Amino acid sequence: MSTRAKSMDSVHSSDSLGSGIRLKKEVGLLEGVAIIMGIIIGSGIFLSPKGVLETAHSIGLTLFVWVLTGLLSMIGAVCYAELGTTVPLSGGDYAYIKEAFGPLPAFLFLWDANIVFVPTTNAIMALTFSKYVIQPFFYLGCEVPDSAVRLVAAGTIIFLTWLNCYNVRLTTKVQNVFLVAKVAGLVTVILAGVVHLSSGHYENFANPWENTQTDPGLIAVSFYSGIFSYAGWNYLNFITEELKSPYKNLPRAIYISLPLVTLIYVLANIGYLAVLTKHEMLESDAIGVTFGNKILGAFSWVMPVFVALSTFGGLSVHIMTSSRLLFVGARAGHFPQALSLISINRFTPTPALVFLCILSLIYLSTSDIFALIEYASFVESSFILISVSGLLWLRHKKPHLPRPIRVPTILPVVFLCLCAFLVFLPIYVRPLEVGMGLLITLTGIPFYFVFIWWKPRPTLFKEISEQGTSYVQKVFLSAQQDHQD
């Protein structure tokens, strides 16, 4: 660290700031629940339930998939509660894989996440929000200009990045507000479905298992759409170091949020299926809007509003939690040191947030981001499988690690079996997507050996790195995190 940066550090680490330059513990139980539910309940449940029906073919199997993916997410989240309290570091899967299996697998997860998963997800969520905000300003049937959609999406990413740089507490309070809007939208779907069913409209459930999918590989593919809508149940683990009383609040937040989300999702899908026919669902690109137009009459406008608010809130919490993954990886030396700096005034990982903002904006300029997400979904599921495998391996490798929570062994075993089914069976159904996902991962290996494993590095390399870090410190008024006591 430069002399100037050290002096800034000492000035701003005075008694008035308490414990010095580090991420502050400002996330309580309520905020933890809001983060998990906020990131899970994004645009997916309003836009893509047809993905399950498309491959499941029957209403019965569709509802079964939604129930089972919810249970799978709950089992996985309980396993992550043990991992999060055994390895109480921010970074989630990265920290657990590194502790269990070493630096190379951890780096590959970090590589996939920050080069593909995170920025493309940010871009897609911002584009979805933008479309729903802009559409009302155009006449029915008029095509929304693509440039306008991307411009509003870019502005949304920049604004939410600024908000996350400005204050963690303010961001979490915003999450609480948007969570209410998200749940309100799904409750509207549930209540409308109940009213429709109570009027005697049971025709959509007359033959629930008709034309059920029987191909195991395609059934596994149908689970991916459900899993996509539940994605985010492990994101609170990314900010463990910012949780108040993490040993208590991490598992409590998981135990509260996952059953609630599963119940809401299953009931919402029953509402969709009660009102919309299979044909209407498969023809719709926005299930929530189609549902509103058919059943809500003059109040159909509320569904696009709920979708927009849901996506906006989900994008905000995704930006907050994923930036901690990059921050922790950089702090461990797996990404440039400049990305591990913390604002000395706001105590947020500003350089990491800005870096991910720039990557997300770059992905807005390409039309291939959806293909990238499809390629990477297989790899992301594989890393979750590796993380839970690490739970069992750490019990064997490091049995004396403190474990405030120890789940029954049967739970991670069941989770691994179900995950293996979902990861390996689609290989023969979607070989291109699986192959591309693996290729994206393997591209990280040369970077690992050149920039991390290779030591001692050339003097020129060190000088460029130090100058870059010093420049970032000055631009963002940031410093290295103080060591934990």
Side-chain angles (χ1 to χ4, degrees):
M1 186 184 295
S2 66
T3 304
R4 174 183 172 85
K6 286 183 178 178
S7 63
M8 290 167 62
D9 192 349
S10 62
V11 169
H12 290 275
S13 296
S14 62
D15 292 338
S16 62
L17 291 178
S19 57
I21 306 298
R22 66 181 62 172
L23 300 176
K24 300 301 179 184
K25 292 183 178 292
E26 295 185 330
V27 180
L29 177 59
L30 177 61
E31 290 79 15
V33 171
I35 285 171
I36 295 176
M37 294 186 69
I39 202 164
I40 294 177
I41 306 175
S43 59
I45 188 63
F46 293 105
L47 301 175
S48 59
K50 80 169 188 179
V52 178
L53 182 60
E54 203 166 30
T55 46
H57 291 177
S58 72
I59 289 175
L61 184 56
T62 296
L63 291 176
F64 177 77
V65 168
W66 281 104
V67 172
L68 198 58
T69 48
L71 292 175
L72 181 64
S73 298
M74 282 191 277
I75 294 172
V78 170
C79 294
Y80 271 64
E82 176 176 332
L83 284 167
T85 52
T86 304
V87 186
L89 300 173
S90 292
D93 299 77
Y94 169 77
Y96 312 146
I97 294 172
K98 186 170 183 286
E99 182 73 20
F101 302 115
L104 178 56
F107 172 80
L108 292 178
F109 170 77
L110 197 70
W111 174 264
D112 278 331
N114 290 294
I115 301 302
V116 180
F117 302 160
V118 171
T120 52
T121 300
N122 288 345
I124 288 173
M125 294 176 77
L127 287 170
T128 302
F129 169 76
S130 179
K131 288 177 182 177
Y132 277 87
V133 168
I134 294 176
Q135 185 63 59
F137 295 97
F138 290 83
Y139 289 109
L140 188 65
C142 291
E143 186 175 349
V144 179
D146 185 66
S147 57
V149 172
R150 295 182 188 277
L151 185 62
V152 172
T156 303
I157 291 173
I158 292 170
F159 170 74
L160 289 176
T161 298
W162 170 82
L163 183 65
N164 277 276
C165 290
Y166 181 74
N167 190 275
V168 173
R169 185 173 296 173
L170 177 61
T171 304
T172 55
K173 297 300 181 186
V174 169
Q175 296 311 317
N176 296 344
V177 174
F178 279 101
L179 177 60
V180 173
K182 295 178 182 191
V183 174
L186 291 175
V187 168
T188 301
V189 172
I190 294 168
L191 292 178
V194 169
V195 171
H196 194 69
L197 286 172
S198 63
S199 301
H201 296 284
Y202 299 104
E203 56 272 13
N204 291 347
F205 297 99
N207 297 297
W209 298 97
E210 185 180 9
N211 298 322
T212 295
Q213 179 64 258
T214 56
D215 187 309
L218 290 173
I219 291 174
V221 171
S222 73
F223 274 83
Y224 273 121
S225 296
I227 288 172
F228 174 78
S229 292
Y230 282 102
W233 50 263
N234 57 335
Y235 271 55
L236 187 61
N237 296 63
F238 287 2
I239 60 169
T240 302
E241 294 172 31
E242 294 170 81
L243 271 175
K244 300 174 184 176
S245 304
Y247 293 125
K248 293 181 179 179
N249 287 333
L250 177 62
R252 286 177 180 174
I254 289 170
Y255 299 154
I256 292 171
S257 57
L258 264 298
L260 276 176
V261 170
T262 302
L263 178 64
I264 291 171
Y265 269 21
V266 173
L267 292 177
N269 273 278
I270 292 174
Y272 284 138
L273 293 166
V275 172
L276 302 175
T277 65
K278 286 174 61 176
H279 177 74
E280 287 171 332
M281 288 191 68
L282 293 175
E283 289 296 315
S284 175
D285 290 324
I287 299 292
V289 176
T290 304
F291 178 92
N293 290 338
K294 183 171 182 178
I295 198 73
L296 298 181
F299 294 96
S300 61
W301 58 269
V302 301
M303 292 310 297
V305 171
F306 283 138
V307 174
L309 292 176
S310 180
T311 308
F312 187 84
L315 177 58
S316 176
V317 72
H318 191 264
I319 288 173
M320 179 180 73
T321 53
S322 58
S323 66
R324 272 54 174 182
L325 171 62
L326 177 58
F327 164 79
V328 171
R331 187 176 63 184
H334 281 181
F335 263 59
Q337 188 183 38
L339 300 176
S340 67
L341 301 175
I342 297 175
S343 167
I344 61 176
N345 295 318
R346 298 296 176 183
F347 305 104
T348 56
T350 305
L353 283 159
V354 172
F355 176 79
L356 288 176
C357 175
I358 294 171
L359 273 185
S360 301
L361 294 176
I362 291 172
Y363 278 115
L364 283 178
S365 65
T366 176
S367 59
D368 293 332
I369 51 177
F370 293 96
L372 282 171
I373 282 287
E374 194 169 326
Y375 296 153
S377 61
F378 163 80
V379 180
E380 190 170 15
S381 299
S382 300
F383 277 116
I384 290 176
L385 187 148
I386 293 171
S387 294
V388 178
S389 299
L391 182 152
L392 297 174
W393 178 244
L394 284 174
R395 287 185 181 182
H396 170 72
K397 181 183 176 184
K398 299 181 179 181
H400 301 299
L401 277 177
R403 289 177 171 81
I405 296 175
R406 187 182 178 95
V407 300
T409 304
I410 187 64
L411 291 182
V413 170
V414 168
F415 184 84
L416 288 176
C417 291
L418 291 173
C419 259
F421 167 77
L422 296 175
V423 167
F424 296 117
L425 270 184
I427 290 177
Y428 78 91
V429 179
R430 302 280 176 88
L432 175 63
E433 289 81 353
V434 171
M436 289 300 296
L438 289 174
L439 183 61
I440 291 169
T441 303
L442 294 176
T443 57
I445 294 178
F447 285 87
Y448 175 82
F449 282 105
V450 172
F451 294 103
I452 298 171
W453 180 83
W454 183 23
K455 293 179 181 178
R457 298 189 184 98
T459 304
L460 179 61
F461 183 90
K462 292 181 180 179
E463 289 178 353
I464 293 174
S465 177
E466 289 173 359
Q467 290 175 6
T469 301
S470 177
Y471 179 77
V472 171
Q473 284 181 310
K474 295 172 184 177
V475 169
F476 295 107
L477 293 177
S478 53
Q480 291 289 341
Q481 178 177 2
D482 290 346
H483 293 294
Q484 298 290 343
D485 298 332

